[in-house]
Amino acid sequence: MSAAVVCGIGTCLPERVVGNDDLAARLDTSDLWIRSRTGIARRRIVEPGTSTGDLAVAAGRAALDSAGHGADFVLLATTTPDRPCPATAPEVAHRLGLGEVPAMDVSAVCSGFVYAVAVARSLMASGTCARPLVIGAEVYTSIIDPLDRDTAVIFGDGAGAVLLREGGATEPGALRAVDLGSDGSGGELITVAAGGSRHPRADGELPRSQRYFRMQGRTVYRHAVHRMTASSRLVLERAGWSPQSVRAFVGHQANQRILDAVGDRLGIGTPHRFGNIAEVGNTAAASIPLALADTAARDLVRPGERSLLTAFGGGLTWGSIALSWPAAVPVHRPLPVPAARRPTAVPAPSPVPCQNRRQP
């Protein structure tokens, strides 16, 4: 029985680190207040002129390096594309030197990476592609109100990526089950009101509340805990796994209290919960691949062990993936200095077989 298998993992984080103390005076807050409510100690922020595409290219290249071969489809999950039109993914594919492969953006806010992996899996099953590259990349600081304490302390910038290939259902990195869902009645809970056809953007004519990202935190918290818990239970049932058998739980790095609440409700023990929200903050669609890479780089989970990814985002959207823990060794690539801003292609890696570097 065949399955989509994670065989490459890559990341890119900006060099600039912004700690809670750096935000405290401007936002009339403190390190203690931020940590106690979010679990975040610091986040990474891009320098002016660096785009989501720049981060995506670096993370995508790192995933290709990790796998040892190229890709034949690119899916970019992001809420912060380089521009409203065209999509950012085709330029990313070009800059990666992948030629004329299909490429598209996936917009599901913080659930975007899970959605994109699910789409990639379906594309593989249909025969459309064999080695899709899935990237989650965000420059969330481009849409955050720097004066809004509720959001400015939470979000950071970054990118993570995985490469998939066809393989066996029992090997490390195999995707076993997927669940996706949405509820458009909650669309106003997480939003940037201006910039689309409903409210074309004109900064001088719109209040800050419409120009920047806004979130109704308390209501979002309740939805996030409920939806991620229910979706996780459903995907584990589809995989035939009990929550207690999960050895790696990686949730969207939105808020540590949300992650703890979901883990508690599922009955997954604290030693099996992994994340890096304290170090990078909420990176939206990039958060799950960044946490996945961080956990894998530290050898905290054995390849092949039962694992669960789950996310919740604006839309409202949510989704979960049951998979065996990958054996791929993550690769991190820093941003070029200065960051590349022109769509210059670089040679693609030679198409050699994907090799897992760790043994289960």
Side-chain angles (χ1 to χ4, degrees), residues 97-110:
L98 297 175
E100 298 179 350
V101 302
M104 67 180 187
D105 289 2
V106 175
S107 179
V109 197
C110 297

Side-chain angles (χ1 to χ4, degrees), residues 43-60:
R43 69 284 297 148
R44 300 294 188 95
I45 304 297
V46 298
E47 298 295 342
T50 299
S51 75
T52 291
D54 296 328
L55 291 168
V57 169

Side-chain angles (χ1 to χ4, degrees), residues 78-293:
T78 187
T79 316
T80 56
D82 285 5
R83 47 188 178 264
C85 176
T88 305
E91 184 177 308
V92 169
H94 170 70
R95 290 172 59 184
L96 287 171
L98 297 175
E100 298 179 350
V101 302
M104 67 180 187
D105 289 2
V106 175
S107 179
V109 197
C110 297
S111 304
F113 180 78
V114 170
Y115 264 68
V117 169
V119 171
R121 178 178 182 243
S122 296
L123 290 169
M124 293 175 69
S126 71
T128 302
C129 62
R131 297 186 309 274
L133 175 64
V134 181
I135 308 170
E138 303 282 14
V139 177
Y140 240 67
T141 51
S142 66
I143 61 172
I144 293 299
D145 184 346
L147 302 180
D148 179 15
R149 184 174 66 173
D150 291 338
T151 58
V153 302
I154 296 174
F155 291 92
D157 305 326
V162 299
L163 188 71
L164 303 177
R165 63 161 173 82
E166 186 175 356
T170 60
E171 67 177 289
L175 307 186
R176 297 295 299 271
V178 171
D179 175 65
L180 300 175
S182 75
D183 179 5
S185 69
E188 296 302 314
L189 297 177
I190 302 172
T191 183
V192 178
S197 60
R198 186 178 298 278
H199 298 292
R201 185 159 187 158
D203 286 354
E205 303 171 5
L206 293 171
R208 299 180 74 88
S209 61
Q210 293 187 33
R211 283 186 280 141
Y212 291 110
F213 178 95
R214 287 291 185 266
M215 178 172 62
Q216 298 179 34
R218 291 183 179 180
T219 305
V220 167
Y221 176 94
R222 293 195 298 270
H223 277 280
V225 172
H226 170 67
R227 298 299 190 180
M228 292 168 71
T229 301
S231 178
S232 294
R233 286 176 174 153
L234 182 56
V235 82
L236 290 175
E237 182 180 336
R238 290 174 180 171
W241 299 347
S242 69
Q244 292 71 31
S245 72
V246 172
R247 290 296 172 263
F249 167 66
V250 178
H252 162 52
Q253 307 289 287
N255 180 303
Q256 189 60 52
R257 292 191 298 173
I258 292 175
L259 293 168
D260 291 341
V262 175
D264 290 344
R265 282 161 174 75
L266 290 173
I268 297 175
T270 301
H272 304 303
R273 305 175 193 176
F274 300 99
N276 59 351
I277 188 172
E279 300 302 317
V280 300
N282 183 342
T283 53
S287 78
I288 284 183
L290 284 172
L292 177 72

